[in-house]
Amino acid sequence: DTSSGAVRRTNAKIDGREDGTMEVSVETMQYVEKCKAEGLIPCGWTGPSGYKYEEGDTPPVVLMSLIRLICLILWLVLCCCVTIILLLPAIPFGLARRQALANYFGHTFGWGVVRILGTPYRVAGQEYAGYGKRRPVLYLSNHCSVLDVILCMWQVPLYTVGIGKKEIVYVPVFGWLYYLAGHYRIDRKNRKSAIESLNKAADWMVEKQLSMMLYPEGTRSTTGHLAHFKKGFAHMALRTGLPIVPIVLTGTHKAWKNHTTRFRAAPLSITFLPPIDTTGWTVEELDLHIKEVEHIFNEALPQDQKML
């Protein structure tokens, strides 16, 4: 471990075995064992003792989902409108001030959403979240539900920005807030443009001392299981040398299933893992770095969310 608490990767190597298993570096194994010793992983949580929730599409579930959807929309519009009103006069005071205001929106909106949904939740590893500190990091989270984004907005510290597709500004109210807050946008359909935007974003966040929230799978998993990671986050880590703080989410694929408006009070867990040092990362071993971080997430997730 380094003095910052990050795990440094030295002479790590990952080789695929004939039986399909993966050999990981000693440093990665030590990192996983450290998380287990601290009780951070495995991250699955079934809720309070004896807790149960209804999983089927019964009439009560359908009715409550409709009521919750209406409440969510009203809560979103209210939070967005108030934040936009606050952001407009803050424009002359610089980006950092607007980002902090946008983070307050995320904290307030996320707090309200979990209460509207009625889901029990548990947050662990908050000592690694960086609350009250102005230290740029790359936050990475698994992604299998819209709820993931909301939970991350709620839990990440101030001065954390996101990257979204360029079309997001056309979403009424929320897109306007996204634009005013100064979050980065990329053209995901144009690979060259997307890479250039990621490089600019990396330089920009270091200059402004901002953290970045990223979803390394690139898109929401349709099954709830972890998907293979794209290279974007690794290029940003390589360019910035910033530590990676994993955020492992469980239960979101049950509480708000992908491409549906059915909400269930499934237990949620949000776990911050120790920072991963990236200062020793190299271009030559970029694929290995990606596999190591992917392995850490897979080890942390419960069986029903592990990679297939």
Side-chain angles (χ1 to χ4, degrees), residues 8-74:
R8 182 178 296 278
R9 178 183 185 280
T10 52
N11 297 319
K13 185 179 181 182
I14 297 179
D15 292 318
R17 294 175 176 171
E18 290 183 3
D19 61 0
T21 60
M22 182 181 293
E23 182 179 345
V24 300
S25 68
V26 172
E27 289 80 10
T28 301
M29 292 172 63
Q30 290 174 341
Y31 178 93
V32 171
E33 290 304 315
K34 169 185 171 73
C35 293
K36 288 180 178 178
E38 294 182 13
L40 296 175
I41 64 174
C43 297
W45 186 53
T46 57
S49 178
Y51 180 80
K52 293 182 179 180
Y53 68 97
E54 197 164 354
E55 297 187 50
D57 284 340
T58 61
V61 168
V62 173
L63 178 60
M64 284 305 301
S65 292
L66 178 59
I67 294 172
R68 285 169 172 156
L69 178 62
I70 294 170
C71 291
L72 283 174
I73 293 172
L74 293 175

Side-chain angles (χ1 to χ4, degrees), residues 288-302:
L288 302 182
H289 301 312
I290 294 169
K291 288 296 181 185
E292 285 190 323
V293 179
E294 194 178 272
H295 174 77
I296 289 168
F297 269 89
N298 201 49
E299 285 291 301
L301 287 166

Side-chain angles (χ1 to χ4, degrees), residues 14 16 21 30 60 63 84 114 154 171 229 234 238 244 279 306:
I14 297 179
T21 60
Q30 290 174 341
L63 178 60
I84 288 171
V114 294
W154 175 34
V171 177
F229 288 1
L238 196 65
I244 289 171
T279 54
K306 289 185 182 295

Side-chain angles (χ1 to χ4, degrees), residues 1 4 26 39 66 69 81-82 118 136 141 149 159 172 190 192 196 215 231 238 250 258 262:
D1 290 353
S4 66
V26 172
L66 178 59
L69 178 62
C81 288
V82 171
S141 173
V149 179
Y159 306 106
N190 187 328
K192 183 179 179 181
E196 290 176 356
Y215 301 92
K231 294 185 177 182
L238 196 65
T250 69
N258 223 354
R262 293 287 185 271

Side-chain angles (χ1 to χ4, degrees), residues 73-109:
I73 293 172
L74 293 175
W75 180 239
L76 173 63
V77 172
L78 175 63
C79 290
C80 284
C81 288
V82 171
T83 308
I84 288 171
I85 291 170
L86 295 174
L87 280 172
L88 287 171
I91 291 175
F93 296 98
L95 178 65
R97 186 70 57 86
R98 285 186 286 147
Q99 287 294 345
L101 283 171
N103 289 144
Y104 280 121
F105 156 80
H107 296 171
T108 304
F109 179 62

Side-chain angles (χ1 to χ4, degrees), residues 159-191:
Y159 306 106
T160 301
V161 298
I163 292 183
K165 55 186 179 182
K166 66 175 186 178
E167 296 85 2
I168 197 170
V169 296
Y170 301 116
V171 177
V173 187
F174 181 77
W176 309 336
L177 184 153
Y178 195 92
Y179 176 78
L180 287 172
H183 290 294
Y184 238 82
R185 293 170 291 129
I186 61 173
D187 183 2
R188 294 197 300 184
K189 297 178 182 178
N190 187 328
R191 186 175 181 276

